[in-house]
């Protein structure tokens, strides 16, 4: 029997050698894992600091918005119903056939218009929307009734229009919403579309990832994604859109870190405000709040179930499922989201059926052209003295201005029509090159407040951004004469006879003889007739007696800053002025002598509703109320009997005052006209000073007439009342003294500053005219009848 062979010592040795190797391997692996975990922890801490910095500061750059003034309507006011409908459309209102059952709807009827107003939010008030009926009697508002309570409304305020946004480089529109004000069905729609297990996973959903892999394998392509809402937020908020493994790992770590740091509702709120949901021209629509306005013209809190499902369906591919460009595809996607809501028990069967039957109706939109470009540039210049460009593009300020969009549209139309008429009448004014075309400018102001209601700085903003109201310096011609006569009212009266004699003045050793525009034979003229007819020689004579330095001082007091020299030609407007400053000076006459500040920016409000800037109107007493009243009376004669008397033929029936102006060789044509309610300055000319071959009366007055005819709702038809210190006397027009009824021909009433009123009767031996006596007797007979 053989003995068992002993085991090989080598095999024993090799077995015993394996144990130390495993032990040696265990420690490096544990160390490597420890380093990896430490690295991941440090990376997560780094991410936590990054996330906290982003989320604790300003999360988004919200462009500041510029608004027009609100619109006031009241019984007795003239109203163009078509213009009102146009304004409502600009404000996002939608037409209805008859009833107005929700905010943002209007219905036009033969007897007027019904409107369910939006909520009104301005710097000074917040008012919930309510339904009203504006009943019309022809073109007059007969009554305004609150349809909710059946009560009359004395004054109805319609919200301001958004006229501009200060975009940053991203050009994003976003209206922030709070998760507390978002309807539950909107949240359920988003979860059904993007992440139904959002409230149960920890930022990453393994089940969702596996489900997406299975779906994609089954269809042989990418049909589903496994990203949670938290991952989507991590990707669009912190990462670039590149598709790499490293970026995906970063996304996972950021999602996990966010979930560890913040509650689910905070993450969802940030997501709802961040997501990209469409495009309006070059501007992206971001967030549920902005999308609700863009697609449905309402706040997110008022979205219906069907509308909420439509927006939720957009998240996957906003341009592919846009209800504007792909309505059928959008409808199918909406219905898919609605069915998913029902599957997840977030929607009752009855509500599902109702929502599926709902038509997909959007508010509609058009890429609107830049509004009131010259006015916006003027406002921007003022704002940039207070805020940087970055602040305006990111702080979400609301900037409320004085602009009236109705007045602005009327001004733009009147200028365009007026310049086209001039070119049609005189084809030599036509220019092919945009930079050399005939130009014009208009500014409309409220005289007492200085509020700029419209500003048109040129014929076409796209062709030329040069603002001829605020930047140009032009000779005013005879439009400067009112400042001369205002200075002279310390010693002159409307009936003072002023010299029309030819006279030569010496200026720096050079003789200068002013001529009248047309022949005037009389050697003297009453001051009223001299200004009404814009006669040059009397203006220079008055200026020399009043004192050229005094006239310059008057111009400075009335807000004109350009350089003047004490030359006799100053009286004829030979020195340049800025049109805005000239308009402001005329406001002084219509405001009882008070010089208003040109008001464009009224209030600046931050994104929390607090007023940051409020323009305090600085008003200076430039001339006395008595002098201002006399100037209004004198300038009214320009309209009734003088160079602007053609206004009567142009259907201007309300009382107005104003002054024409024409410069040498017809380089500039002016008319500044006003009522107690509105003042409008019109300028026409070429930028290079080429002759326009027309006077202020021929070129500017018709434009003013067309503009003011369109603004009858803003014009009361009232006139200035005499202030204390004004008296009225019956005078002899040939002497300016108190008239003798028996001897003075054509005596008339005249206004005077009390201490300058004539006290002595006329002593001139007037020639007795038998025909005059006969006509006077006939007049007496008719008077008795």
């Amino acid at each position: 029997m053989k003995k068992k062979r002993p085991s090989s010592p080598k095999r024993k040795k090799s077995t015993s050698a394996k144990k130390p190797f495993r032990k040696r391997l265990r420690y490096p692996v544990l160390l490597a894992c420890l380093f990896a975990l430490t690295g991941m922890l440090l990376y997560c801490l780094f991410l936590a600091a990054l996330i906290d910095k982003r989320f604790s500061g300003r999360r988004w750059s919200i462009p500041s918005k510029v608004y027009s003034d609100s619109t006031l309507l009241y019984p007795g006011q003239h109203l163009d119903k078509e213009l009102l409908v146009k304004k409502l459309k600009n404000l996002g209102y939608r037409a209805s056939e008859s009833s107005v059952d929700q905010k943002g709807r209007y219905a036009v009827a033969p007897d007027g218009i019904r409107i369910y107003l939006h909520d009104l939010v301005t710097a000074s008030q917040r008012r919930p929307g309510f339904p009203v009926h504006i009943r019309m009697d022809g073109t007059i508002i007969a009554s305004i009734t609150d349809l909710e309570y059946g009560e009359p409304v004395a004054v109805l305020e319609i919200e301001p229009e958004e006229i501009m946004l200060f975009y940053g480089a991203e050009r994003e529109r976003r209206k922030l919403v709070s998760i507390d004000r978002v309807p539950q069905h909107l949240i359920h729609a988003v979860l059904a579309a993007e992440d139904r297990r959002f409230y149960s996973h920890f930022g990453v959903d393994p089940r969702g990832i596996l489900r997406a892999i299975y779906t994609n394998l089954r269809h042989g392509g990418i049909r589903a994604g496994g990203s949670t809402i938290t991952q989507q937020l991590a990707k669009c908020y912190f990462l670039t859109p590149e598709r790499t493994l490293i970026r995906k790992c970063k996304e996972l770590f950021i999602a996990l870190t966010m979930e560890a740091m913040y509650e689910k509702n905070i993450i969802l709120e940030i997501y709802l405000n961040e997501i990209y949901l469409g495009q309006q021209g070059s501007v992206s629509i971001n967030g549920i709040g902005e999308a609700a306005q863009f697609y449905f013209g309402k706040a997110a809190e008022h979205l219906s179930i069907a509308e909420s499902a439509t927006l939720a369906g957009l998240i996957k591919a906003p341009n592919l499922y846009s209800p504007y460009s792909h309505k059928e595809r959008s409808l199918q996607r909406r219905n898919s989201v609605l069915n998913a809501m029902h599957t997840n028990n977030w929607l009752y069967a009855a509500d599902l059926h109702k929502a599926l039957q709902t038509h997909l109706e959007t508010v509609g939109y058009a890429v609107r052209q830049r509004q009131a470009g010259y006015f916006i540039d003027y406002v921007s210049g003022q704002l940039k003295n207070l805020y940087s460009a970055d602040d305006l593009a990111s702080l979400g300020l609301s900037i409320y201005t004085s602009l009236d969009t109705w007045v602005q549209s009327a001004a733009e139309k009147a200028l365009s029509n007026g310049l086209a008429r001039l070119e049609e009448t005189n084809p030599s004014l036509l220019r092919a090159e945009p930079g050399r075309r005939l130009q014009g400018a208009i500014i409309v102001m409220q005289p007492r407040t200085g509020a700029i209601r419209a500003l048109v700085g040129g014929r076409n903003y796209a062709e030329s951004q040069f603002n001829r109201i605020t930047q140009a310096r032009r000779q005013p011609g005879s439009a400067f004469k009112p400042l001369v006569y205002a200075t002279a009212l310390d010693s002159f009266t409307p009936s003072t006879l002023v010299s029309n004699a030819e006279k030569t003045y010496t200026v720096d050793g050079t003789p200068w003889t002013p001529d009248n525009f047309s022949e005037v034979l009389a050697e003297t003229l009453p001051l009223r007739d001299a200004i009404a007819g814009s006669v040059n020689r009397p203006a220079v004579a008055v200026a020399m007696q009043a004192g050229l330095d005094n006239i310059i001082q008057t111009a400075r007091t009335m807000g004109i800053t350009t350089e003047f020299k004490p030359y006799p030609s100053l009286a004829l407007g030979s020195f340049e002025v800025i049109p805005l400053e000239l308009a402001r000076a005329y406001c002084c006459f219509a405001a009882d002598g008070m010089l208003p500040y040109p008001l464009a920016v009224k209030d600046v409000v931050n994104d929390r509703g607090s007023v940051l800037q409020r323009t305090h109107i600085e008003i200076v007493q430039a001339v006395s109320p008595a002098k201002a009243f006399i100037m209004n009376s004198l300038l009214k004669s320009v309209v009734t009997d003088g160079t602007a008397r053609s206004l009567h033929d142009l259907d201007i029936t309300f009382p107005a005052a104003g002054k024409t102006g024409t410069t040498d060789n017809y380089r500039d044509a002016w008319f500044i006209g006003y009522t107690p309610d509105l003042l409008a300055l019109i300028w026409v000319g070429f930028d290079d000073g080429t002759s326009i071959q027309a006077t202020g009366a021929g070129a500017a007055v018709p434009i003013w007439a067309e503009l003011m005819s369109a603004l009858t709702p803003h014009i009361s038809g009232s006139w200035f009342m005499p202030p204390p210190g004004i008296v009225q006397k019956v005078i002899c027009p040939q002497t300016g003294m108190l008239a003798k009824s028996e001897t003075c021909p054509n005596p008339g009433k005249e206004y005077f500053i009390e201490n300058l009123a004539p006290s002595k009767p006329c002593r001139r031996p007037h020639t007795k005219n038998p025909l005059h006596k006969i006509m006077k007797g006939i007049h007496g007979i008719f008077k008795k009848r």
Side-chain angles (χ1 to χ4, degrees):
M1 190 174 174
K2 289 184 179 179
K3 291 184 179 179
K4 198 172 183 180
R5 193 173 177 176
S7 306
S8 169
K10 286 183 182 179
R11 194 171 293 174
K12 237 181 195 180
K13 188 177 180 181
S14 66
T15 305
S16 64
K18 283 182 183 178
K19 289 180 181 178
F21 178 75
R22 287 176 183 159
K23 287 181 180 179
R24 286 198 303 270
L25 188 63
R26 187 185 309 160
Y27 293 111
V29 170
L30 289 172
L31 194 62
C33 290
L34 182 63
F35 274 118
L37 287 171
T38 304
M40 285 190 288
L41 179 62
L42 290 173
Y43 183 59
C44 287
L45 289 173
F46 165 75
L47 291 176
L50 178 68
I51 294 167
D52 181 65
K53 183 180 179 181
R54 243 346 257 285
F55 283 2
S56 62
R58 178 170 287 277
R59 294 169 182 169
W60 297 279
S61 291
I62 310 294
S64 297
K65 295 181 180 180
V66 181
Y67 293 95
S68 71
D69 203 355
S70 54
T71 300
L72 300 180
L73 303 177
Y74 51 87
Q77 182 183 16
H78 287 268
L79 179 66
D80 186 326
K81 199 156 57 173
E82 291 183 5
L83 285 178
L84 178 58
V85 168
K86 182 180 178 182
K87 173 176 276 291
L88 293 174
K89 287 180 178 178
N90 288 342
L91 289 166
Y93 285 80
R94 287 186 285 177
S96 295
E97 290 185 5
S98 56
S99 64
V100 284
D101 54 357
Q102 57 181 295
K103 293 177 183 178
R105 294 278 188 171
Y106 71 92
V108 179
D111 66 336
I113 183 168
R114 288 173 170 80
I115 310 169
Y116 203 130
L117 297 167
H118 287 144
D119 295 341
L120 174 67
V121 179
T122 66
S124 57
Q125 65 168 312
R126 291 175 177 267
R127 181 215 64 199
F130 61 97
V132 296
H133 178 206
I134 302 173
R135 193 172 64 81
M136 303 291 296
D137 183 4
T139 60
I140 305 293
I141 297 177
S143 64
I144 304 175
T145 307
D146 182 335
L147 293 176
E148 202 166 21
Y149 298 103
E151 297 176 351
V153 177
V155 178
L156 180 67
E157 185 171 4
I158 296 177
E159 66 269 22
E161 290 184 47
E162 178 189 296
I163 55 177
M164 188 214 172
L165 285 91
F166 285 97
Y167 289 113
E170 299 85 3
R171 293 189 66 78
E172 295 178 347
R173 288 188 65 136
R174 182 180 279 105
K175 187 179 180 68
L176 301 183
V177 296
S178 167
I179 192 74
D180 298 328
R181 298 184 66 85
V182 175
Q184 199 64 33
H185 56 255
L186 175 55
I187 292 173
H188 288 154
V190 172
L191 297 183
E194 296 298 317
D195 187 359
R196 64 185 178 87
R197 284 173 32 83
F198 173 72
Y199 282 101
S200 58
H201 62 63
F202 50 87
V204 178
D205 186 7
R207 286 168 57 180
I209 294 172
L210 292 173
R211 186 171 58 252
I213 291 172
Y214 171 74
T215 301
N216 294 334
L217 288 174
R218 195 171 57 138
H219 290 89
I222 303 297
R223 292 294 184 90
S227 293
T228 64
I229 279 176
T230 316
Q231 286 177 266
Q232 291 180 48
L233 181 59
K235 178 173 64 176
C236 62
Y237 212 83
F238 294 98
L239 301 171
T240 60
E242 62 179 345
R243 294 193 173 193
T244 64
L245 183 61
I246 293 174
R247 191 202 62 76
K248 192 67 178 176
C249 289
K250 287 180 179 178
E251 177 188 304
L252 292 173
F253 276 112
I254 293 171
L256 292 169
T257 307
M258 274 197 291
E259 289 274 351
M261 293 175 67
Y262 295 99
E263 294 179 359
K264 288 284 188 179
N265 277 356
I266 294 176
I267 294 171
L268 183 59
E269 179 179 282
I270 297 172
Y271 175 79
L272 292 176
N273 284 305
E274 172 63 24
I275 47 177
Y276 169 69
L277 288 167
Q279 200 77 17
Q280 182 181 16
S282 63
V283 179
S284 67
I285 305 300
N286 289 75
I288 288 290
E290 191 65 44
Q293 288 289 346
F294 178 61
Y295 291 108
F296 301 112
K298 60 176 68 174
E301 60 195 272
H302 298 137
L303 289 171
S304 67
I305 293 172
E307 290 166 342
S308 297
T310 302
L311 295 189
L314 286 172
I315 299 172
K316 183 178 181 180
N319 297 317
L320 185 66
Y321 296 114
S322 170
Y324 286 130
S325 54
H326 302 289
K327 191 168 184 177
E328 279 301 316
R329 197 180 292 160
S330 178
L331 188 64
Q332 291 172 9
R333 176 65 178 158
R334 181 201 74 177
N335 292 345
S336 174
V337 173
L338 289 170
N339 284 312
M341 292 172 70
H342 178 62
T343 301
N344 286 280
N345 298 317
W346 290 327
L347 196 62
Y348 291 117
D351 292 331
L352 171 66
H353 178 74
K354 181 181 177 181
L356 289 172
Q357 300 303 313
T358 303
H359 293 293
L360 180 53
E361 185 181 356
T362 56
V363 71
Y365 89 97
V367 179
R368 292 170 62 185
Q369 300 298 317
R370 182 184 175 102
Q371 283 186 279
Y374 296 104
F375 178 81
I376 290 296
D377 285 351
Y378 181 64
V379 166
S380 299
Q382 292 185 328
L383 290 172
K384 285 172 183 176
N385 293 327
L386 303 170
Y387 305 97
S388 68
D390 288 341
D391 286 343
L392 289 171
S394 63
L395 294 181
L397 304 175
S398 294
I399 298 144
Y400 295 95
T401 72
S402 61
L403 186 80
D404 186 315
T405 53
W406 277 350
V407 180
Q408 178 70 24
S409 296
E412 291 172 356
K413 183 179 179 182
L415 183 63
S416 177
N417 290 346
L419 297 181
R421 279 195 305 268
L422 286 169
E423 290 171 334
E424 185 179 356
T425 305
N426 185 355
S428 67
L429 299 178
L430 285 166
R431 301 287 188 275
E433 304 91 334
R436 298 185 61 235
R437 295 178 75 193
L438 179 65
Q439 285 292 345
I442 296 177
I443 184 169
V444 182
M445 301 176 72
Q446 284 181 334
R448 294 186 180 277
T449 65
I452 298 173
R453 307 301 275 166
L455 194 159
V456 187
R459 185 171 191 165
N460 186 320
Y461 183 82
E463 291 178 357
S464 169
Q465 291 79 51
F466 179 66
N467 192 333
R468 293 157 188 84
I469 289 294
T470 62
Q471 296 173 297
R473 292 170 179 249
R474 308 289 302 206
Q475 291 181 337
S478 293
F480 188 79
K481 288 175 182 175
L483 279 72
V484 174
Y485 288 113
T487 306
L489 289 181
D490 285 328
S491 54
F492 284 73
T493 73
S495 65
T496 301
L497 297 178
V498 294
S499 173
N500 184 43
E502 182 177 320
K503 186 174 182 179
T504 299
Y505 303 87
T506 301
V507 181
D508 292 339
T510 303
W512 176 72
T513 305
D515 289 323
N516 292 329
F517 182 79
S518 57
E519 187 176 15
V520 179
L521 297 176
E523 291 186 4
T524 60
L525 291 171
L527 186 145
R528 180 177 290 279
D529 293 349
I531 193 170
S534 197
V535 189
N536 288 339
R537 290 173 186 165
V540 179
V542 169
M544 298 305 290
Q545 291 181 64
L548 297 174
D549 288 329
N550 292 334
I551 293 168
I552 293 173
Q553 184 55 48
T554 297
R556 295 283 176 259
T557 304
M558 296 177 75
I560 295 180
T561 62
T562 47
E563 183 182 359
F564 294 135
K565 291 184 178 180
Y567 295 163
S569 61
L570 172 68
L572 305 184
S574 61
F575 291 92
E576 294 174 341
V577 297
I578 298 169
L580 173 60
E581 294 183 351
L582 187 60
R584 184 189 181 200
Y586 272 67
C587 282
C588 180
F589 300 139
D592 295 328
M594 305 298 286
L595 182 67
Y597 177 81
L599 179 65
V601 178
K602 296 170 67 178
D603 297 295
V604 179
V605 179
N606 67 14
D607 55 358
R608 295 180 298 278
S610 301
V611 177
L612 301 180
Q613 300 288 336
R614 174 158 288 166
T615 302
H616 297 283
I617 302 172
E618 297 179 11
I619 298 179
V620 179
Q621 188 77 52
V623 299
S624 70
K627 283 186 181 179
F629 178 81
I630 295 296
M631 288 306 305
N632 294 333
S633 177
L634 292 171
L635 295 176
K636 187 179 181 183
S637 293
V638 176
V639 172
T640 55
D641 305 304
T643 54
R645 61 187 179 276
S646 61
L647 285 173
H648 178 73
D649 299 326
L650 296 169
D651 298 326
I652 297 299
T653 57
F654 49 81
K659 186 69 189 75
T660 55
T662 309
T663 57
D664 287 347
N665 198 31
Y666 305 99
R667 288 192 295 266
D668 304 88
W670 299 81
F671 183 63
I672 305 103
Y674 60 91
T675 71
D677 314 287
L678 286 179
L679 177 144
L681 175 147
I682 315 291
W683 170 83
V684 178
F686 283 102
D687 288 337
D688 62 5
T690 301
S691 173
I692 68 166
Q693 303 168 39
T695 63
V701 166
I703 296 174
W704 191 91
E706 180 178 343
L707 168 62
M708 299 302 274
S709 294
L711 301 182
T712 49
H714 298 76
I715 298 169
S716 63
S718 62
W719 192 242
F720 303 97
M721 297 299 293
I726 292 292
V727 295
Q728 195 173 38
K729 304 284 185 180
V730 178
I731 61 159
C732 172
Q734 294 184 11
T735 64
M737 305 304 290
L738 295 176
K740 288 183 178 180
S741 58
E742 293 299 321
T743 60
C744 293
N746 303 317
K749 292 181 179 180
E750 185 58 271
Y751 287 108
F752 297 92
I753 297 174
E754 191 169 13
N755 64 320
L756 296 177
S759 57
K760 296 179 180 179
C762 174
R763 298 186 181 277
R764 178 178 292 183
H766 296 289
T767 304
K768 292 184 178 181
N769 188 332
L771 182 61
H772 170 69
K773 192 173 181 179
I774 293 169
M775 293 302 295
K776 188 174 180 181
I778 294 172
H779 175 73
I781 293 170
F782 279 104
K783 190 174 180 182
K784 288 178 181 178
R785 288 184 179 180

